[in-house]
PDB file of all heavy atoms in Angstrom:
ATOM      1  N   GLU A   6      25.405 170.238 139.584  1.00  0.00           N
ATOM      2  CA  GLU A   6      26.089 171.214 140.424  1.00  0.00           C
ATOM      3  C   GLU A   6      26.730 170.490 141.605  1.00  0.00           C
ATOM      4  O   GLU A   6      26.097 169.702 142.287  1.00  0.00           O
ATOM      5  CB  GLU A   6      25.115 172.272 140.925  1.00  0.00           C
ATOM      6  CG  GLU A   6      25.829 173.424 141.579  1.00  0.00           C
ATOM      7  CD  GLU A   6      24.912 174.600 141.779  1.00  0.00           C
ATOM      8  OE1 GLU A   6      24.104 174.876 140.869  1.00  0.00           O
ATOM      9  OE2 GLU A   6      25.007 175.218 142.837  1.00  0.00           O
ATOM     10  N   PRO A  22      32.456 164.332 149.573  1.00  0.00           N
ATOM     11  CA  PRO A  22      33.313 165.380 150.156  1.00  0.00           C
ATOM     12  C   PRO A  22      34.787 165.109 149.864  1.00  0.00           C
ATOM     13  O   PRO A  22      35.189 163.965 149.624  1.00  0.00           O
ATOM     14  CB  PRO A  22      33.017 165.298 151.652  1.00  0.00           C
ATOM     15  CG  PRO A  22      32.430 163.962 151.877  1.00  0.00           C
ATOM     16  CD  PRO A  22      31.773 163.549 150.591  1.00  0.00           C
ATOM     17  N   ALA A  42      36.878 154.886 147.466  1.00  0.00           N
ATOM     18  CA  ALA A  42      36.159 153.610 147.359  1.00  0.00           C
ATOM     19  C   ALA A  42      36.340 152.990 145.975  1.00  0.00           C
ATOM     20  O   ALA A  42      36.608 151.785 145.857  1.00  0.00           O
ATOM     21  CB  ALA A  42      34.681 153.812 147.663  1.00  0.00           C
ATOM     22  N   VAL A  46      38.329 149.384 144.973  1.00  0.00           N
ATOM     23  CA  VAL A  46      37.719 148.288 144.208  1.00  0.00           C
ATOM     24  C   VAL A  46      38.578 147.952 142.995  1.00  0.00           C
ATOM     25  O   VAL A  46      38.871 146.784 142.730  1.00  0.00           O
ATOM     26  CB  VAL A  46      36.273 148.654 143.773  1.00  0.00           C
ATOM     27  CG1 VAL A  46      35.748 147.685 142.739  1.00  0.00           C
ATOM     28  CG2 VAL A  46      35.358 148.693 144.984  1.00  0.00           C
ATOM     29  N   GLY A  51      42.667 144.684 140.121  1.00  0.00           N
ATOM     30  CA  GLY A  51      43.973 144.677 139.446  1.00  0.00           C
ATOM     31  C   GLY A  51      44.939 143.726 140.106  1.00  0.00           C
ATOM     32  O   GLY A  51      45.700 143.022 139.432  1.00  0.00           O
ATOM     33  N   LEU A  53      44.190 140.945 141.788  1.00  0.00           N
ATOM     34  CA  LEU A  53      43.786 139.575 141.429  1.00  0.00           C
ATOM     35  C   LEU A  53      44.313 139.202 140.049  1.00  0.00           C
ATOM     36  O   LEU A  53      44.820 138.097 139.847  1.00  0.00           O
ATOM     37  CB  LEU A  53      42.259 139.452 141.409  1.00  0.00           C
ATOM     38  CG  LEU A  53      41.555 139.113 142.692  1.00  0.00           C
ATOM     39  CD1 LEU A  53      40.049 139.114 142.486  1.00  0.00           C
ATOM     40  CD2 LEU A  53      42.011 137.789 143.232  1.00  0.00           C
ATOM     41  N   LEU A  59      43.385 136.043 137.682  1.00  0.00           N
ATOM     42  CA  LEU A  59      41.953 135.819 137.871  1.00  0.00           C
ATOM     43  C   LEU A  59      41.169 137.123 137.781  1.00  0.00           C
ATOM     44  O   LEU A  59      41.658 138.169 138.199  1.00  0.00           O
ATOM     45  CB  LEU A  59      41.684 135.244 139.270  1.00  0.00           C
ATOM     46  CG  LEU A  59      42.133 133.842 139.600  1.00  0.00           C
ATOM     47  CD1 LEU A  59      41.850 133.547 141.071  1.00  0.00           C
ATOM     48  CD2 LEU A  59      41.447 132.832 138.718  1.00  0.00           C
ATOM     49  N   THR A  92      54.953 127.298 141.487  1.00  0.00           N
ATOM     50  CA  THR A  92      54.406 127.301 140.129  1.00  0.00           C
ATOM     51  C   THR A  92      53.501 128.502 139.847  1.00  0.00           C
ATOM     52  O   THR A  92      53.254 128.820 138.689  1.00  0.00           O
ATOM     53  CB  THR A  92      53.575 126.027 139.886  1.00  0.00           C
ATOM     54  OG1 THR A  92      52.434 126.048 140.758  1.00  0.00           O
ATOM     55  CG2 THR A  92      54.396 124.772 140.131  1.00  0.00           C
ATOM     56  N   LEU A  99      40.891 130.407 150.561  1.00  0.00           N
ATOM     57  CA  LEU A  99      40.927 130.038 151.970  1.00  0.00           C
ATOM     58  C   LEU A  99      40.529 131.206 152.856  1.00  0.00           C
ATOM     59  O   LEU A  99      40.509 132.346 152.418  1.00  0.00           O
ATOM     60  CB  LEU A  99      42.346 129.594 152.361  1.00  0.00           C
ATOM     61  CG  LEU A  99      43.002 128.509 151.509  1.00  0.00           C
ATOM     62  CD1 LEU A  99      44.427 128.259 151.997  1.00  0.00           C
ATOM     63  CD2 LEU A  99      42.194 127.234 151.531  1.00  0.00           C
ATOM     64  N   TYR A 123      51.194 115.575 164.678  1.00  0.00           N
ATOM     65  CA  TYR A 123      51.436 116.163 165.994  1.00  0.00           C
ATOM     66  C   TYR A 123      50.120 116.546 166.662  1.00  0.00           C
ATOM     67  O   TYR A 123      49.873 116.230 167.824  1.00  0.00           O
ATOM     68  CB  TYR A 123      52.343 117.389 165.841  1.00  0.00           C
ATOM     69  CG  TYR A 123      52.532 118.168 167.114  1.00  0.00           C
ATOM     70  CD1 TYR A 123      53.419 117.723 168.092  1.00  0.00           C
ATOM     71  CD2 TYR A 123      51.827 119.329 167.339  1.00  0.00           C
ATOM     72  CE1 TYR A 123      53.594 118.431 169.272  1.00  0.00           C
ATOM     73  CE2 TYR A 123      51.989 120.046 168.507  1.00  0.00           C
ATOM     74  CZ  TYR A 123      52.872 119.594 169.470  1.00  0.00           C
ATOM     75  OH  TYR A 123      53.031 120.296 170.637  1.00  0.00           O
ATOM     76  N   ASN A 127      50.169 112.025 167.622  1.00  0.00           N
ATOM     77  CA  ASN A 127      51.249 111.122 167.221  1.00  0.00           C
ATOM     78  C   ASN A 127      52.533 111.941 167.188  1.00  0.00           C
ATOM     79  O   ASN A 127      52.865 112.551 166.192  1.00  0.00           O
ATOM     80  CB  ASN A 127      50.975 110.532 165.821  1.00  0.00           C
ATOM     81  CG  ASN A 127      49.647 109.824 165.782  1.00  0.00           C
ATOM     82  OD1 ASN A 127      49.293 109.125 166.728  1.00  0.00           O
ATOM     83  ND2 ASN A 127      48.903 110.015 164.713  1.00  0.00           N
ATOM     84  N   PRO A 131      62.362 111.471 166.533  1.00  0.00           N
ATOM     85  CA  PRO A 131      63.415 110.691 165.868  1.00  0.00           C
ATOM     86  C   PRO A 131      64.119 109.796 166.894  1.00  0.00           C
ATOM     87  O   PRO A 131      64.173 110.108 168.074  1.00  0.00           O
ATOM     88  CB  PRO A 131      64.354 111.754 165.311  1.00  0.00           C
ATOM     89  CG  PRO A 131      64.109 112.962 166.155  1.00  0.00           C
ATOM     90  CD  PRO A 131      62.691 112.875 166.635  1.00  0.00           C
ATOM     91  N   PRO A 142      61.042 108.391 162.222  1.00  0.00           N
ATOM     92  CA  PRO A 142      60.018 107.373 162.067  1.00  0.00           C
ATOM     93  C   PRO A 142      59.404 107.456 160.676  1.00  0.00           C
ATOM     94  O   PRO A 142      59.316 108.535 160.094  1.00  0.00           O
ATOM     95  CB  PRO A 142      58.990 107.734 163.144  1.00  0.00           C
ATOM     96  CG  PRO A 142      59.251 109.162 163.476  1.00  0.00           C
ATOM     97  CD  PRO A 142      60.708 109.416 163.172  1.00  0.00           C
TER      98      PRO A 142
END
Side-chain angles (χ1 to χ4, degrees):
E6 190 167 320
V46 167
L53 273 177
L59 291 176
T92 65
L99 307 177
Y123 173 79
N127 303 319

